[in-house]
Amino acid sequence: MNTVKIIAIVLITAGALGLAYGGFTYTRSTQQTQVGPFSMTFKDRRTVAVPIWLGIGAVVMGAGLLLVPPRKG
């Protein structure tokens, strides 16, 4: 399997997941203060929304890479 086909499959998969879930959430830990042996750490949850046009664009670009015949030369 060549590199272009792998990239195309990754684009299609990422676009489909972006359309299905609409975004992803991650947790960021930040250390606010440390006094002696005590420290306070706060966890901040952030959500990143994936626009619909980006998911559709990734699927279309991946399909285009799969369907366009490779150039010889």
Side-chain angles (χ1 to χ4, degrees):
M1 191 176 262
N2 65 18
T3 308
V4 175
K5 287 186 180 183
I6 293 172
I7 292 172
I9 292 170
V10 168
L11 279 172
I12 291 171
T13 304
L17 288 173
L19 288 172
Y21 291 108
F24 60 93
T25 303
Y26 66 95
T27 303
R28 189 177 81 172
S29 296
T30 57
Q31 185 175 357
Q32 296 294 327
T33 184
Q34 183 173 1
V35 178
F38 301 105
S39 65
M40 295 181 71
T41 303
F42 298 97
K43 292 184 179 181
D44 185 22
R45 291 190 73 177
R46 303 250 174 136
T47 301
V48 177
V50 177
I52 294 174
W53 62 266
L54 186 63
I56 293 172
V59 171
V60 168
M61 285 177 49
L65 286 174
L66 280 179
L67 296 176
V68 173
R71 291 186 188 180
K72 293 182 180 180

